[in-house]
């Protein structure tokens, strides 16, 4: 696509600054961080369905969940681990013995052991000193390695932690033979340039062989920061289908994969033509609708309405499409509305083997414009009202909360 001689390609000018790992290993977090999207819950059957599709797509690692969370979660992890999938199945644990043992019992081969690293997390959340965090991390990694697991060591909020502590902590788990080191931008505060500096400094100090990044999208930079990390040479990006995850979510699988393939010409090994179907499945099972303007998989990402655009697309798709919809398993759509031009109308009629005089085409165009302008917005407003109500209070509704609280023995609140 980018190599077409019809368009200038300036990517080549930055080629010397790129150090992509080969291969790049996709680590999918849809079933763990993605399930932590407010209001989202996947049953064990649903987790298995998504895991099968992710494995078919070609991701290397699937985080199936945190077994210690609940009985159902432990069962889901066991089922995904036992399904004989090509992808490596991972489960996550805090640096707490009970968590690690639950992962060992679940039958996975990969574990992610996570602990917070920043001062604000240590002081206010964990109430632990740096030395306590370090000791718990070393003991946890040692136990998981003894059990024969491939160990990824993750710190939360890595990029807001003192670098000297980060260096000390990662070197300590490296000495315990942790296999993969994960750096997290837990609250999404990196920018591409800052992150490049951070990762180069991390590499200089810690010299990781296999390293990952986990980027959040609070400021809309998760994909940009993840791509930066890959340019630096990070081996294993964390991604979520549809960019699901806590708050504004994580780096989106489809955006990172397609950017690598189409902008940089990097072979991801992923069957990108399956991306859209996977995206729709996750939309359905998570109940989180895709934004119309979401890149790659949004309803409108391959739709054209304006006359100038449809005219261009009909002449050559490169005019207004950076990649062909088929690449990600989609179809192009021409939308009729206020901005429709005559070329689109002529094309639509031609599909039905109809050719009409220009005057008829102009008349039809005018009728379509007037038709759009006369459309009532009532139905759309009704739909949006319901939609908003659902997302303004996701999860367990308030009445249900008080019903459950009563059952649990919580006394009535004083009036
Ligand atoms: Mn996260």
């Amino acid at each position: 696509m980018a190599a077409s001689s019809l368009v200038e390609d300036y990517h080549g000018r930055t080629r010397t600054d790129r150090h992509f790992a080969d291969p790049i290993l996709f680590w999918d977090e849809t079933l763990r961080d993605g399930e932590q999207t407010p209001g989202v819950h996947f049953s064990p059957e649903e987790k298995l369905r998504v895991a099968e599709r992710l494995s078919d797509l070609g991701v290397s690692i699937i985080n199936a969940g945190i077994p210690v969370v609940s009985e159902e979660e432990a069962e889901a992890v066991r089922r995904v681990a036992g399904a004989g999938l090509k992808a490596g199945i991972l489960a996550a644990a805090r640096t707490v013995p009970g968590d690690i043992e639950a992962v060992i019992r679940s039958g996975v081969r990969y574990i992610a052991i996570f602990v917070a690293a920043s001062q604000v997390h240590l002081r206010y959340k964990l109430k632990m000193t740096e030395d306590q965090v370090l000791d718990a991390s070393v003991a946890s990694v040692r136990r998981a390695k003894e059990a024969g697991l491939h160990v990824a060591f993750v710190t939360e909020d890595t990029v807001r932690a003192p670098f000297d502590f980060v260096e000390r902590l990662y070197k300590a788990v490296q000495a315990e033979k942790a296999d993969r080191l994960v750096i997290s931008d837990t609250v999404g505060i990196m920018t591409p340039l800052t992150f490049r500096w951070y990762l180069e400094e991390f590499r200089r100090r810690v010299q990781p062989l296999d390293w990952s990044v986990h980027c959040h999208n609070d400021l809309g930079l998760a994909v940009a920061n993840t791509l930066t990390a890959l340019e630096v040479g990070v081996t294993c990006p964390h991604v979520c289908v549809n960019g699901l995850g806590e708050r504004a979510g994580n780096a989106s699988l489809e955006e990172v994969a397609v950017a690598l393939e189409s902008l940089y010409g990097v072979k991801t090994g992923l069957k990108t033509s399956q991306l859209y179907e996977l995206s729709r499945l996750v939309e359905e099972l998570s109940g989180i609708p895709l934004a119309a303007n979401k890149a790659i998989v949004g309803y409108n990402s391959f739709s054209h309405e304006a006359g100038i655009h449809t005219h261009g697309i009909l002449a050559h798709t490169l005019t207004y499409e950076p990649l062909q919809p088929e690449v990600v398993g989609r179809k192009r759509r021409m939308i009729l509305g206020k901005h429709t031009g005559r070329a689109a109308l002529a094309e639509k009629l031609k599909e039905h083997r109809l050719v009409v005089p220009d005057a008829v085409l102009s008349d039809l165009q005018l009728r379509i414009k007037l038709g759009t302008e006369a459309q009532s917005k009532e139905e759309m407003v009704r739909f949006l009202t319901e939609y908003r109500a659902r997302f303004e209070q996701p999860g367990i509704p308030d009445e249900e909360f008080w019903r459950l609280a009563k059952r649990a023995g919580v006394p009535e609140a004083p009036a």
Side-chain angles (χ1 to χ4, degrees):
M1 184 286 309
S4 167
S5 57
L6 288 170
V7 289
E8 291 295 330
D9 174 12
Y10 296 113
H11 285 288
R13 305 232 174 158
T14 61
R15 193 162 289 140
T16 51
D17 293 334
R18 297 190 229 136
H19 308 277
F20 290 111
D22 183 19
I24 288 171
L25 307 170
F26 278 77
W27 168 331
D28 186 87
E29 282 279 322
T30 310
L31 302 179
R32 202 280 305 172
D33 208 320
E35 198 192 24
Q36 288 171 214
T37 306
V40 172
H41 158 251
F42 298 124
S43 70
E45 293 73 32
E46 290 170 342
K47 284 204 170 187
L48 186 57
R49 270 179 80 189
V50 174
E52 283 168 348
R53 300 294 276 278
L54 284 166
S55 182
D56 279 354
L57 180 78
V59 306
S60 297
I61 298 285
I62 297 170
N63 188 344
I66 307 177
V68 86
V69 163
S70 72
E71 256 317 301
E72 191 195 65
E73 177 87 340
E75 191 207 323
V77 174
R78 277 196 301 274
R79 285 185 62 176
V80 174
L85 302 179
K86 193 162 169 265
I89 307 305
L90 175 146
R94 293 169 298 180
T95 54
V96 172
D99 285 32
I100 312 270
E101 297 309 318
V103 170
I104 294 169
R105 280 197 305 275
S106 74
V108 297
R109 291 186 37 231
Y110 295 80
I111 187 172
I113 296 173
F114 64 93
V115 72
S118 66
Q119 293 291 308
V120 65
H121 277 249
L122 261 58
R123 191 172 307 164
Y124 292 100
K125 185 184 80 172
L126 295 179
K127 304 193 192 315
M128 286 167 86
T129 64
E130 289 185 355
D131 285 337
Q132 287 171 327
V133 166
L134 192 133
D135 290 345
S137 301
V138 164
S140 300
V141 171
R142 190 175 293 164
R143 171 67 188 122
K145 287 300 291 183
E146 267 170 23
L149 296 175
H150 176 284
V151 177
F153 179 72
V154 185
T155 58
E156 288 181 275
D157 211 15
T158 325
V159 299
R160 294 196 301 173
F163 225 134
D164 289 343
F165 175 54
V166 169
E167 179 179 348
R168 199 155 69 89
L169 183 56
Y170 280 85
K171 280 181 169 164
V173 298
Q174 255 179 343
E176 297 297 327
K177 307 268 186 293
D179 299 277
R180 180 173 286 153
L181 306 180
V182 184
I183 296 158
S184 305
D185 182 13
T186 299
V187 293
I189 46 88
M190 286 287 100
T191 66
L193 269 182
T194 317
F195 206 29
R196 171 176 277 270
W197 173 84
Y198 186 92
L199 294 168
E200 283 171 348
E201 181 69 5
F202 184 90
R203 179 165 53 198
R204 192 179 66 74
R205 292 187 185 214
V206 181
Q207 290 159 357
L209 289 175
D210 188 353
W211 50 329
S212 274
V213 292
H214 180 95
C215 296
H216 272 272
N217 202 35
D218 295 72
L219 291 157
L221 292 167
V223 169
N225 290 333
T226 302
L227 291 173
T228 294
L230 294 169
E231 287 180 338
V232 170
V234 162
T235 39
C236 185
H238 283 204
V239 290
C240 279
V241 176
N242 299 344
L244 288 185
E246 297 270 3
R247 308 182 310 281
N250 290 262
S252 128
L253 164 64
E254 52 283 353
E255 292 175 28
V256 172
V258 171
L260 281 174
E261 294 257 349
S262 68
L263 303 181
Y264 301 99
V266 169
K267 291 277 164 276
T268 59
L270 301 180
K271 296 174 192 150
T272 58
S273 64
Q274 297 181 4
L275 282 171
Y276 189 53
E277 237 178 88
L278 173 64
S279 176
R280 296 288 285 234
L281 176 70
V282 169
E283 179 189 43
E284 206 174 294
L285 299 180
S286 65
I288 305 293
L290 286 162
N293 58 350
K294 164 87 172 63
I296 316 291
V297 292
Y299 293 96
N300 288 345
S301 352
F302 295 95
S303 299
H304 309 274
E305 179 184 313
I308 294 168
H309 287 237
T310 45
H311 185 216
I313 285 287
L314 290 168
H316 197 299
T317 56
L318 258 183
T319 51
Y320 288 105
E321 282 177 352
L323 75 148
Q324 303 299 291
E326 297 77 20
V327 169
V328 293
R330 302 200 61 179
K331 289 196 173 79
R332 177 178 302 113
R333 294 186 311 174
M334 299 296 186
I335 307 301
L336 298 180
K338 179 180 170 180
H339 309 97
T340 291
R342 299 187 332 165
L345 296 176
E347 181 68 18
K348 188 176 173 71
L349 294 175
K350 208 168 93 189
E351 282 165 21
H352 297 269
R353 273 175 270 133
L354 291 168
V355 180
V356 298
D358 273 1
V360 175
L361 218 49
S362 297
D363 187 38
L364 178 57
Q365 184 190 27
L366 180 65
R367 285 172 196 277
I368 284 168
K369 284 180 196 281
L370 293 173
T372 311
E373 286 161 1
Q375 264 178 352
S376 157
K377 295 203 173 153
E378 239 173 85
E379 203 198 322
M380 188 181 73
V381 169
R382 206 165 34 236
F383 166 76
L384 272 180
T385 308
E386 279 177 36
Y387 180 93
R388 285 175 177 166
R390 184 176 137 56
F391 288 100
E392 273 157 14
Q393 176 63 279
I396 298 274
D398 230 29
E399 329 158 17
E400 173 76 353
F401 168 80
W402 288 112
R403 202 178 61 78
L404 296 172
K406 197 171 163 192
R407 283 210 191 161
V410 174
E412 299 252 338

